[in-house]
């Protein structure tokens, strides 16, 4: 109870601010009509629209999560593998570094028109776009973390007879794990952005597609409901990633 009280006390100003913003929005729409319909719907109307279309919203949310995590896990796994090789091996870094410098300044969503034309399916094209952004950020973070490992750790392990495989598995990866998780968390933001853009431009399901569909019919209350649901979904996903990171990196707090 004490921990709950401290947590609620800490969050109370934020909750109060959100409550005040909702009251102001309600006054500007429902009471004073300064923000007129159909472009601005009051909170009750948005919630009722979400309840009326809850089954479709649920299907759209599941479709978005399927697309998001498929692309995210593919990009994350490939990014960690390529980052480990590039960070530990100078030969791999020589060939991979130019591609990272080329892709770095170019937003992932820039490739959507090309990928959607070349891909065999819209779902596969969207997965590739999401995975590409995740791969870049995860590779860069993993590579940077491994390159920053103190050489004295490697020397001490070699003195004890460790093989190259053991140096990577027991020295490089654990030491670089904070950077790896930082890259995975930031990659989720990139994945979410790519997801919405891909769904709005080509994919025929998901919350991004739902938002585009409802806005084209001027059903802005349903559109705002999908945006709220989208924000809540991404917040929960990021919270889960953060909790996993804190659990794995608990040794940092103990130190």
């Amino acid at each position: 109870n004490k921990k709950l009280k401290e947590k609620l006390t800490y969050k109370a100003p934020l909750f109060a601010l959100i409550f005040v913003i909702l009251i102001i929005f309600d006054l500007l729409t429902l009471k004073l009509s300064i923000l007129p319909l159909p472009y601005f719907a009051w909170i009750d109307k948005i919630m009722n629209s979400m309840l009326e279309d809850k089954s479709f919203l649920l299907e759209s949310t599941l479709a978005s999560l399927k697309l998001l995590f498929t692309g995210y896990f593919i990009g994350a796994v490939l990014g960690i593998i390529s980052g480990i090789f590039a960070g530990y091996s100078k030969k791999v870094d020589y060939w991979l570094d130019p591609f990272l410098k080329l892709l770095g300044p170019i937003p992932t969503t820039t490739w959507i028109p090309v990928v959607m034309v070349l891909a065999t399916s819209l779902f596969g094209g969207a997965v590739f776009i999401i995975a590409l952004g995740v791969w870049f950020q995860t590779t860069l973070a993993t590579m940077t973390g491994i390159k920053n490992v103190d050489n004295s750790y490697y020397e001490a392990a070699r003195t004890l007879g460790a093989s190259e495989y053991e140096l990577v598995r027991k020295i490089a990866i654990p030491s670089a794990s904070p950077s790896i998780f930082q890259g995975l968390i930031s990659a989720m933001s990139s994945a979410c952005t790519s997801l919405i853009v891909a769904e709005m431009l080509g994919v025929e399901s998901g919350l991004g597609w739902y938002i585009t569909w409802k806005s084209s019919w001027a059903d802005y209350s349903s559109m705002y409901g999908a945006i709220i649901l989208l924000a809540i979904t991404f917040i929960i996903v990021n919270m889960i990633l953060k909790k996993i990171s804190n659990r794995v990196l608990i040794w940092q707090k103990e130190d």
Side-chain angles (χ1 to χ4, degrees), residues 45-98:
K45 188 173 180 61
I46 294 173
M47 295 302 173
N48 287 330
S49 297
M50 293 176 68
L51 289 174
E52 290 175 2
D53 214 8
K54 59 183 178 182
S55 59
F56 205 174
L57 279 173
L58 178 60
E59 291 178 9
S60 299
T61 302
L62 293 176
S64 291
L65 289 175
K66 179 182 177 182
L67 178 58
L68 174 67
F69 283 112
T70 302
Y72 180 80
F73 283 124
I74 292 174
V77 171
L78 294 178
I80 291 174
I81 293 173
S82 59
I84 291 172
F85 278 105
Y88 191 76
S89 171
K90 292 183 178 179
K91 291 182 179 179
V92 177
D93 181 45
Y94 173 83
W95 292 105
L96 188 61
D97 187 62

Side-chain angles (χ1 to χ4, degrees), residues 151-170:
N151 286 329
S152 61
Y153 295 160
Y154 294 126
E155 293 173 1
R158 287 191 182 98
T159 302
L160 295 173
S163 63
E164 292 297 318
Y165 172 74
E166 289 174 329
L167 290 177
V168 173
R169 186 171 65 88
K170 296 183 178 181

